[in-house]
Amino acid sequence: MYVGGFELPDKNAAAQRVIGNAKLFNALDYNVYFIGTDKSLDSKVNLIGTKSIFEGFVHYNIPYPTGLKEWYFYLCNISYKYLIKEINPQLIIAYNYPAIALNKLRKYCGQNDIRLIADCTEWYLLSGSIIFRIIKGFDTFYRMRIIHNKLDGVIAISNYLSNYYKNRGCKTVVIPPIVNIDDFKKLYNNNNHDDIINLIYVGQPFPVDGRMIKESSYKDRLDKVIDVLYYLRDMQFIFNIYGLTKEQYLSVIPGQKDLLDVLGNKIKFYGYIENHEALKKIAESDFTVLFRDVNRMTTAGFPTKFVETISCGTPIITNRTSDLEQYLQDGKNGYFVEIEDKAKLLAKMKEILMLDRKSISLMKKNCQESELFSYHKFKNKMCQFLNSINIT
């Protein structure tokens, strides 16, 4: 049973993560049930009434908390014990679960002979209001440094997280975001023949809900991509941005308005897009561009965008974060750039934008054939981990 703040069927990156892992468990002959969240549900809805099927998996949804009382209950309680009794799972996997509720779930599982592990994918940086930072800071500290150490094991998305828990005596396995590669094969698109390099970014580089965000808390450095493309504006490229509008972007980074005005139609914002549509756009592009600062959050995590673009058959331009060096071969399925050295960044980006169509087509073919993140490739690792925590 998987529990956590994912929004099935595919409303957030967390949903992609848990579905990929569920397919891996399914391939090892385990049935998987989900209890996630849904922002569209009324707070008084009955959990059993939310039962649905997605890609063969049964899932239930808890209403996403809104008011203070609902948030308190969500962070500090377990509302689905009766469903656990009904399903009677061998194993519960808690995805980035709130610390206090996770500790209660740990005690419940211990009393009922159920194994409990964490699926740990991030180590958050703190941002937002003082109250939010205090609550989030406590939750992160208590969960990451104390509660996870007391569980039966940890599925870690990166070597950084795995090594952290392994050094504290925890049983761990490293599983990056994984996919059913057959779902991506039908997206492959290697039919672009014009001389214009099509670049793409999909995501939200920072919250656009009006809160104050420090530059150091940006998830993705889209501003640095736009800055370097401004200096290369005489070259032949189009940069398509999906996930936020131009107005939303400028509400956070108003200082780049003049750059965007000069770049004109070379930079296009399209706003929010459903994930299945985003994957089609990625497959049609020549390169995905993803710049991230190197910090604890990006070192501990693993970008879902990296997995999706390679699996779509599209090479990626990115910098060295997380475990990417294990998967990206420079010039074969993407390029590493140094975003902190402007001269080197400009030179490398210029080199990439001068590539001929044959070279790009070969890179796309390499991505298509690699199947780097097919869940089938991780069956042995997961099997060994489950055996180590006595799941048969």
Side-chain angles (χ1 to χ4, degrees), residues 129-187:
S129 68
I130 293 175
I131 294 175
F132 182 84
R133 290 201 302 270
I134 290 172
I135 295 172
K136 192 67 178 178
F138 168 77
D139 180 77
T140 299
F141 177 87
Y142 191 38
R143 172 165 46 90
M144 301 293 285
R145 296 186 182 274
I146 298 175
I147 302 303
H148 280 179
N149 296 323
K150 298 180 179 182
L151 305 185
D152 293 295
V154 174
I155 300 174
I157 203 169
S158 66
N159 279 292
Y160 176 91
L161 288 171
S162 177
N163 291 335
Y164 177 82
Y165 288 112
K166 195 178 294 182
N167 290 337
R168 284 154 181 77
C170 297
K171 294 174 181 176
T172 71
V173 61
V174 180
I175 305 290
I178 51 179
V179 299
N180 180 1
I181 204 68
D182 291 336
D183 293 338
F184 285 82
K185 286 181 178 179
K186 55 194 173 188
L187 298 171

Side-chain angles (χ1 to χ4, degrees), residues 77-317:
N77 293 281
I78 312 163
S79 61
Y80 48 85
K81 288 180 182 177
Y82 63 95
L83 192 55
I84 297 176
K85 290 180 181 178
E86 182 179 313
I87 294 172
N88 190 28
Q90 275 186 282
L91 172 69
I92 294 178
I93 309 163
Y95 175 87
N96 293 340
Y97 210 69
I100 295 175
L102 180 59
N103 194 39
K104 290 184 177 180
L105 183 58
R106 178 184 68 85
K107 293 176 181 177
Y108 176 85
C109 288
Q111 293 164 358
N112 291 275
D113 195 28
I114 300 171
R115 296 287 184 272
L116 175 63
I117 63 175
D119 184 5
C120 187
T121 68
E122 294 191 75
W123 199 321
Y124 301 101
L125 297 177
L126 301 181
S127 61
S129 68
I130 293 175
I131 294 175
F132 182 84
R133 290 201 302 270
I134 290 172
I135 295 172
K136 192 67 178 178
F138 168 77
D139 180 77
T140 299
F141 177 87
Y142 191 38
R143 172 165 46 90
M144 301 293 285
R145 296 186 182 274
I146 298 175
I147 302 303
H148 280 179
N149 296 323
K150 298 180 179 182
L151 305 185
D152 293 295
V154 174
I155 300 174
I157 203 169
S158 66
N159 279 292
Y160 176 91
L161 288 171
S162 177
N163 291 335
Y164 177 82
Y165 288 112
K166 195 178 294 182
N167 290 337
R168 284 154 181 77
C170 297
K171 294 174 181 176
T172 71
V173 61
V174 180
I175 305 290
I178 51 179
V179 299
N180 180 1
I181 204 68
D182 291 336
D183 293 338
F184 285 82
K185 286 181 178 179
K186 55 194 173 188
L187 298 171
Y188 293 165
N189 188 324
N190 204 354
N191 299 319
N192 193 354
H193 301 295
D194 62 37
D195 294 328
I196 298 175
I197 304 295
N198 285 280
L199 308 174
I200 190 170
Y201 168 85
V202 179
Q204 266 201 358
F206 36 65
V208 291
D209 54 7
R211 77 178 88 156
M212 295 296 293
I213 301 295
K214 295 180 180 178
E215 187 178 278
S216 60
S217 297
Y218 293 176
K219 184 177 182 181
D220 303 327
R221 295 310 303 266
L222 184 56
D223 56 319
K224 290 190 175 184
V225 181
I226 290 173
D227 183 63
V228 71
L229 291 178
Y230 171 78
Y231 285 97
L232 299 172
R233 60 189 178 277
D234 293 331
M235 302 193 74
Q236 296 297 306
F237 68 84
I238 291 176
F239 185 33
N240 296 308
I241 299 169
Y242 294 88
L244 75 171
T245 64
K246 183 177 180 180
E247 291 71 29
Q248 288 174 322
Y249 180 82
L250 289 175
S251 71
V252 178
I253 309 179
Q256 285 197 327
K257 183 181 184 304
D258 291 343
L259 275 67
L260 290 173
D261 288 344
V262 172
L263 283 160
N265 288 331
K266 285 182 176 288
I267 309 282
K268 296 181 179 180
F269 289 82
Y270 292 91
Y272 174 77
I273 186 172
E274 294 285 349
N275 188 64
H276 66 279
E277 290 297 327
L279 296 178
K280 291 180 184 178
K281 299 297 182 183
I282 291 170
E284 293 168 1
S285 303
D286 296 318
F287 292 96
T288 290
V289 189
L290 179 64
F291 293 178
R292 287 186 165 181
D293 288 334
V294 178
N295 51 42
R296 188 179 66 187
M297 180 177 71
T298 58
T299 302
F302 194 109
T304 302
K305 298 181 187 72
F306 182 92
V307 173
E308 290 182 333
T309 188
I310 297 295
S311 300
C312 279
T314 299
I316 189 166
I317 304 167

Side-chain angles (χ1 to χ4, degrees), residues 32-93:
V32 182
Y33 296 81
F34 291 104
I35 302 178
T37 60
D38 188 338
K39 293 177 181 176
S40 67
L41 290 178
D42 184 88
S43 60
K44 296 179 181 179
V45 71
N46 180 275
L47 180 61
I48 298 296
T50 69
K51 181 179 179 179
S52 184
I53 308 290
F54 177 68
E55 297 200 16
F57 299 107
V58 176
H59 71 90
Y60 302 85
N61 285 318
I62 295 170
Y64 189 82
T66 52
L68 189 60
K69 185 178 179 180
E70 290 176 22
W71 268 110
Y72 174 80
F73 190 80
Y74 177 75
L75 294 172
C76 300
N77 293 281
I78 312 163
S79 61
Y80 48 85
K81 288 180 182 177
Y82 63 95
L83 192 55
I84 297 176
K85 290 180 181 178
E86 182 179 313
I87 294 172
N88 190 28
Q90 275 186 282
L91 172 69
I92 294 178
I93 309 163

